[in-house]
Amino acid sequence: MSQWIDALTACRVLLGDPTKEELQSISYDSRKAKVGDLFLCLKGTKLDSHDKIPELIASGVRIFVVEKELEELDLSDVERDKLCMVKVENGRKALAELSAFYFHYPSREMLMIGITGTKGKTTTASMVRSILEEGGYRTGLIGTTGIDYAGIHEESRNTTPESYTLQETFRKMREKGCTAVVMEASSQGFKMHRTDEILFDYGIFTNIEEDHIGENEHKDFAEYKYYKSCIFKQSKIGLVNRDANFAEEFLENAPCPCYTFALENMADFQAKEIENLRQDDFIGTCFTFLHGEVKERIFNHLPGAYNVYNALAAVSLACLLKIPMEKIKHALSKIKVNGRMEVVLQRDGHTVIVDYAHNAMGMKNLLQTLRSYNPGRLIVVFGCGGNRSKDRRYGMGEVAGEMADFSILTADNSRYEKTEDIIADIESTLSKKSSAYIAIPDRREAIAYALAHAKRGDLIAVIGKGHEEYNEVNGQLTHFVDREVILEEADKLAEKK
């Protein structure tokens, strides 16, 4: 595969003639590089793969794309005439460009749907995929819960994977017969150039609140907002929640044509007459969908106004794609999203729900929603991730103190912090609002305590981990799934009765 140099939008040749070098494969991990690879050097926050160039040359690598000048590299005792070296300004951008070229631009062969927002990406993506499948599209899904296509599931540590993984996945999806892809496009994905070389047919914006700001995320809200707005630079058509903060600003500055959806403001697509539904085996909503002369009553098996927003976004997109309404309604009537307002247990008159809410905004929306179903008591089991902005844990403590009848503070991916320290931070704000709480650092024990003390009419929300299947402590991942633990502990209680 030659002429790879043409895929780079901005570059300068330092050594050799790239037009004479065949691109056999791409590598950016020095541990996996092999003879014949083009190796792309990246300057990371902790590691700089430019430092690996001497040993890579010793192992047989001859083609390099770098971010540094020759004099900045260790090329002593190296036969330079045998090397090909090209300099780029941004290695991650170059990785996206080369990866798309290497896999023959697979995203151009499928309908591409990108979804961004502080909240709602995963649920909206699942809804869109369900509707597309019902409408005849064979659809791949990429997001927080992993990668799914053609009956295959692959784990992913990032909501939006690295650009090479994305392009490789698109090609695999296409080869398995996929005609559409729905993916969560995170602000970090835009910032780190993971989504470069993707032109979405439709880009959906759900909402934005102050989140993901910190040392390892975004420096401030202005930066976060900017990268959220990048969805419109990479979309043919935008679809915007007009009720969201900064919606008008995004609409005004969007370089692509945009449609709008809303519950409150005037929009192209609207949801009205929203009604909460609660039965023995599910909690959900129904609403009237309005678009032009179209007026349809739609049942959504996920509760809460924010899930009406998610459903409305999915239905609006489906209408733009001219998918028949009966197929849209059928898809939403059976939708279920792991770890997103998931009813896990209904026993002895109480209900246990698992949700991914892991910040103040998500937690507030969740508890407001559950409160609207008039529970006897609203109990929340939660912690907060370590090595993230402390504002998140302070905010969650405030929300719990104001909105929950009882809180159980526990572990949630403490990473390299002590769980007890995180709980103390949460407690510092919660205790100013309420004294109805207990701290139980072990998450399984916290869940068991909630179940053992549950009363008829209680709604118990176990939040923060949602779909996750692990707990992270000091760099070690151990298997932990809230859904599984709830059912196991409930069975233990039942055996004792």
Side-chain angles (χ1 to χ4, degrees):
M1 183 183 293
S2 60
Q3 302 305 310
W4 52 268
I5 190 72
D6 295 333
L8 298 172
T9 54
C11 65
R12 179 160 49 87
V13 178
L14 301 180
L15 292 173
D17 184 354
T19 64
K20 296 180 180 179
E21 300 289 348
E22 287 287 331
L23 175 58
Q24 296 182 27
S25 59
I26 299 171
S27 180
Y28 56 98
D29 184 339
S30 60
R31 297 167 298 180
K32 299 177 182 178
K34 59 187 182 301
V35 176
D37 280 3
L38 178 153
F39 189 84
L40 201 146
C41 297
L42 300 172
K43 291 184 288 187
T45 55
K46 296 180 180 179
L47 298 174
D48 186 344
S49 57
H50 292 82
D51 298 336
K52 299 290 185 179
I53 288 178
E55 59 187 80
L56 288 166
I57 292 173
S59 67
V61 178
R62 292 290 180 267
I63 309 173
F64 294 89
V65 173
V66 299
E67 296 177 303
K68 296 182 177 181
E69 299 289 349
L70 286 178
E71 54 268 24
E72 300 177 83
L73 304 173
D74 181 6
L75 296 178
S76 56
D77 302 321
V78 170
E79 297 181 62
R80 297 191 180 193
D81 60 333
K82 294 184 179 180
L83 299 180
C84 176
M85 196 166 283
V86 174
K87 182 181 183 299
V88 295
E89 291 301 315
N90 189 299
R92 292 195 174 276
K93 180 176 178 60
L95 177 61
E97 292 171 342
L98 289 172
S99 298
F101 171 82
Y102 180 70
F103 289 105
H104 304 289
Y105 301 95
S107 65
R108 298 178 184 178
E109 301 173 26
M110 296 176 285
L111 174 71
M112 298 296 298
I113 311 296
I115 303 171
T116 199
T118 303
K119 184 173 178 58
K121 295 188 298 295
T122 300
T123 301
T124 303
S126 295
M127 289 176 169
V128 169
R129 185 197 190 194
S130 180
I131 292 171
L132 288 178
E133 291 273 353
E134 194 76 25
Y137 292 89
R138 191 165 190 177
T139 308
L141 179 67
I142 300 174
T144 306
T145 57
I147 298 169
D148 290 279
Y149 63 100
I152 298 168
H153 176 78
E154 299 173 5
E155 293 295 327
S156 175
R157 290 300 304 274
N158 296 315
T159 296
T160 305
E162 188 55 81
S163 58
Y164 181 91
T165 302
L166 277 177
Q167 297 295 337
E168 180 183 39
T169 300
F170 294 155
R171 178 50 61 197
K172 290 192 291 186
M173 287 178 170
R174 188 69 192 98
E175 289 176 351
K176 288 292 186 178
C178 287
T179 54
V181 177
V182 181
M183 63 174 284
E184 298 179 47
S186 68
S187 55
Q188 281 291 312
F190 289 114
K191 180 179 179 179
M192 303 301 286
H193 296 277
R194 296 170 188 159
T195 60
D196 283 16
E197 297 302 306
I198 302 171
L199 178 60
F200 298 109
D201 292 281
Y202 293 90
I204 301 174
F205 166 71
T206 61
N207 51 60
I208 187 168
E209 295 291 341
E210 194 157 331
D211 194 21
H212 299 292
I213 297 169
E215 182 181 354
N216 299 316
E217 296 181 275
H218 296 286
K219 65 180 181 180
D220 53 33
F221 182 69
E223 181 184 281
Y224 179 53
K225 185 172 67 170
Y226 168 76
Y227 284 111
K228 283 296 182 193
S229 73
C230 287
I231 187 80
F232 305 116
K233 297 179 181 179
Q234 290 181 225
S235 298
K236 296 178 183 178
I237 296 173
L239 187 56
V240 178
N241 175 5
R242 196 155 208 163
D243 291 342
N245 291 334
F246 303 100
E248 296 305 318
E249 179 183 326
F250 284 167
L251 285 166
E252 182 178 347
N253 296 323
C256 67
C258 292
Y259 292 89
T260 57
F261 62 95
L263 274 61
E264 299 173 2
N265 292 306
M266 290 298 297
D268 299 302
F269 303 94
Q270 293 182 289
K272 298 293 182 182
E273 300 170 353
I274 300 165
E275 181 184 352
N276 291 331
L277 300 175
R278 185 176 184 182
Q279 297 178 2
D280 291 340
D281 59 347
F282 76 91
I283 296 174
T285 58
C286 61
F287 62 92
T288 299
F289 172 73
L290 302 172
H291 173 57
E293 297 181 359
V294 177
K295 183 176 182 180
E296 291 282 347
R297 195 68 175 158
I298 292 178
F299 289 81
N300 175 30
H301 281 205
L302 289 173
Y306 57 88
N307 277 319
V308 175
Y309 278 112
N310 297 334
L312 180 59
V315 176
S316 302
L317 173 68
C319 286
L320 292 174
L321 291 171
K322 301 189 185 308
I323 294 175
M325 185 56 68
E326 62 269 20
K327 292 185 179 295
I328 297 172
K329 294 169 74 171
H330 184 255
L332 286 180
S333 71
K334 60 182 182 180
I335 191 72
K336 182 179 180 181
V337 185
N338 287 344
R340 299 305 194 277
M341 197 66 87
E342 179 185 2
V343 177
V344 173
L345 181 72
Q346 290 191 299
R347 187 176 295 179
D348 299 329
H350 63 267
T351 302
V352 185
I353 288 171
V354 168
D355 194 82
Y356 190 52
H358 58 284
N359 56 41
M361 176 193 175
M363 187 179 192
K364 183 177 181 179
N365 285 336
L366 173 73
L367 297 186
Q368 281 179 336
T369 295
L370 296 182
R371 182 66 71 189
S372 70
Y373 287 89
N374 301 313
R377 292 186 304 167
L378 181 53
I379 298 167
V380 60
V381 181
F382 76 104
C384 202
N387 301 108
R388 297 292 186 268
S389 172
K390 287 193 175 186
D391 288 341
R392 186 178 296 182
R393 57 192 76 164
Y394 297 146
M396 293 181 75
E398 282 191 14
V399 171
E402 292 173 351
M403 302 186 67
D405 294 307
F406 191 79
S407 300
I408 303 172
L409 310 185
T410 191
D412 182 354
N413 295 335
S414 57
R415 299 184 177 90
Y416 292 95
E417 290 192 70
K418 292 182 179 179
T419 297
E420 290 79 4
D421 291 343
I422 297 171
I423 288 176
D425 285 335
I426 298 171
E427 190 176 357
S428 69
T429 53
L430 190 159
S431 61
K432 296 175 183 177
K433 306 284 185 178
S434 173
S435 60
Y437 68 88
I438 188 173
I440 304 177
D442 184 281
R443 195 172 178 93
R444 177 180 283 273
E445 291 179 10
I447 290 171
Y449 180 93
L451 296 175
H453 292 81
K455 300 177 181 178
R456 180 169 294 277
D458 285 353
L459 265 175
I460 302 170
V462 181
I463 71 171
K465 298 184 70 62
H467 64 280
E468 290 179 352
E469 298 184 351
Y470 62 86
N471 192 42
E472 182 178 354
V473 179
N474 294 324
Q476 298 296 314
L477 301 182
T478 56
H479 183 78
F480 196 101
V481 184
D482 282 346
R483 180 192 316 106
E484 293 177 358
V485 173
I486 290 165
L487 295 175
E488 289 166 3
E489 294 301 322
D491 287 344
K492 289 178 185 178
L493 283 173
E495 290 173 3
K496 292 179 181 179
K497 292 182 179 180

